[in-house]
Each structure stands twice: as structure tokens, then as C-alpha cells.
Amino acid sequence: MNDLIQTVAVYALPVLFAITLHEAAHAFAAKYFGDTTAYMMGRMSLNPLKHIDPFGTIVIPVLLYFATSGAFLFGYAKPVPLDFGKLRKPKRDMAWVALAGPAANFLMALIWTLMIYALAIGGVEEEFFMLMAKAGVLTNLVMFAFNLFPIPPLDGGRILTSLLPNKYAYKFAQIEPYGFFIVMALVLLKVIYTWWMAPVMYLAGSLLQLITSPLSLLFN
């Protein structure tokens, strides 16, 4: 129980920010490209309560934490309502709307990385804040990589659908009703983490290091 409380305390804020900005970014991009559905329903908001799904964001992760002793965690936010038919160029703009969420997570990973440097430069000795900043980087890299997996309804699946020729895009999009079950099976078999998430997170982490490399010189 103490481990759970400590984990929740460290990850609560990073997870809330990661979920909230991810979903709000989808809503913002959709509005920018012509679909105001999410905006009209109040989902282009930085209020976490607008995006949290009580069952998917709270109940499932907690149950899985206890059931697997923290070895496996999974959860989801309330999907942003989108009407791709209202986009100015639906097939093209679908990719940009889908990409907005992972892009927001990468940006947040960068901000948390800068926070780590700021804490170090400022000589902050409180371990909790450093753990939270590292949790922020990890949480957002996980969301970035997972959501880019190319199976609908994940963002990567929508991006791939947008890029495929119309004939193949239509057939590929028909996977969506079964996409959640396919993804869950691949998660349980550790296929997604081993063959997708780990490499994508490594590349994203390397890019973060490259971007922040001038700051790392301060510690050499």
C-alpha cells in the first residue's frame, strides 16, 4: 500500500497533464482543420475532469496494479468526439488531428526534461520533485509511442489510414471495431512493447537528448 501511495503521488500530476494535453491537442487540431465537435462539447479544455474516464483512467489501472503487483498497467482517457467528415480535407486532415496528441506528449516530455535540468541547476535536493520530473518524461514517452502504434483506433492507425491510397485505406479502416482487442492481445503478448514501443521510445529519448544537449554541457 505504501508503494502504491508513493507511486500515485509521483505519477498523478504527470499522468493528468499527459492525458489532458493529449486530448485537448486533438480537439484543438480538429477545430483548426474545421471540425468543431469537440470544441462545442467542451473538450478543448485543460480541465482534467473533462477528459478523465472514471473506469478507464482510475479503476482499471488501480486494479491492474494490484493484480499484477505493478508489472502491467493500462488505462485510457475519454475519447475526444470527432467528426472527420467535417474536416476541410477529411483524409489528409485526419492525420494531423491524430498526430496532435502524440506531438503534445513529446512536447511535454521535453518540458519535463527541461525541468530535470532546472532542478539540477537550481540545486533542489528534494528527491520527490526529481522523481516526478522523471515520471513526466517516462509517462509522455510511453503515451507518445503507444498512441503511434499503427492500428486504429489508436492515433498511429488513423495516420496510416490517412496515408494509404483510398482503396487500401477503406479496407484498413474496417479493422477499427476490433482494434482495441487486437492491441490488448499484442500488449499482453509483449509484442507492442518489445517491437514497437521500446524502439520508438529510444528514438524519441535520443531526440530529447539531442535537443537538450546544450544544457548537458553544463554538467560536464
Side-chain angles (χ1 to χ4, degrees):
M1 182 59 71
N2 289 336
D3 288 342
L4 175 61
I5 293 172
Q6 183 180 15
T7 301
V8 169
V10 168
Y11 277 87
L13 197 60
V15 169
L16 283 177
F17 274 129
I19 289 173
T20 300
L21 293 180
H22 178 101
E23 299 300 336
H26 282 314
F28 177 84
K31 183 175 183 292
Y32 180 83
F33 287 104
D35 176 20
T36 60
T37 305
Y39 172 74
M40 296 299 292
M41 295 181 69
R43 296 298 303 280
M44 201 172 82
S45 170
L46 297 182
N47 179 0
L49 297 179
K50 296 284 188 178
H51 307 288
I52 288 175
D53 181 289
F55 188 71
T57 313
I58 300 172
V59 176
I60 285 182
V62 171
L63 289 177
L64 286 174
Y65 182 90
F66 283 111
T68 66
S69 299
F72 174 70
L73 289 177
F74 180 81
Y76 54 87
K78 193 186 301 180
V80 167
L82 299 171
D83 186 345
F84 292 111
K86 292 182 179 179
L87 298 173
R88 286 188 288 274
K89 294 186 177 180
K91 190 169 183 294
R92 182 202 68 182
D93 296 343
M94 177 198 307
W96 293 111
V97 174
L99 185 60
N105 289 125
F106 182 83
L107 178 60
M108 280 184 284
L110 174 59
I111 292 171
W112 284 113
T113 301
L114 294 174
M115 179 67 72
I116 291 173
Y117 282 109
L119 291 171
I121 293 170
V124 177
E125 297 181 358
E126 176 55 57
E127 185 183 22
F128 175 79
F129 295 113
M130 185 63 76
L131 289 175
M132 179 181 288
K134 290 180 179 179
V137 176
L138 177 60
T139 298
N140 282 285
L141 287 182
V142 167
M143 286 192 65
F144 172 81
F146 180 76
N147 281 286
L148 283 178
F149 189 70
I151 291 289
L154 294 180
D155 298 325
R158 298 197 188 282
I159 293 170
L160 182 55
T161 301
S162 175
L163 296 175
L164 288 171
N166 290 337
K167 175 183 176 181
Y168 299 106
Y170 174 76
K171 291 182 179 179
F172 184 67
Q174 292 178 319
I175 297 174
E176 184 159 340
Y178 317 101
F180 176 80
F181 303 101
I182 295 172
V183 170
M184 284 304 300
L186 293 176
V187 166
L188 293 173
L189 292 172
K190 299 183 179 180
V191 171
I192 287 183
Y193 181 79
T194 303
W195 297 102
W196 177 264
M197 290 183 63
V200 172
M201 289 172 66
Y202 175 79
L203 290 174
S206 298
L207 182 56
L208 288 177
Q209 288 183 345
L210 180 63
I211 294 172
T212 59
S213 57
L215 287 173
S216 66
L217 296 176
L218 296 174
F219 300 93
N220 294 332

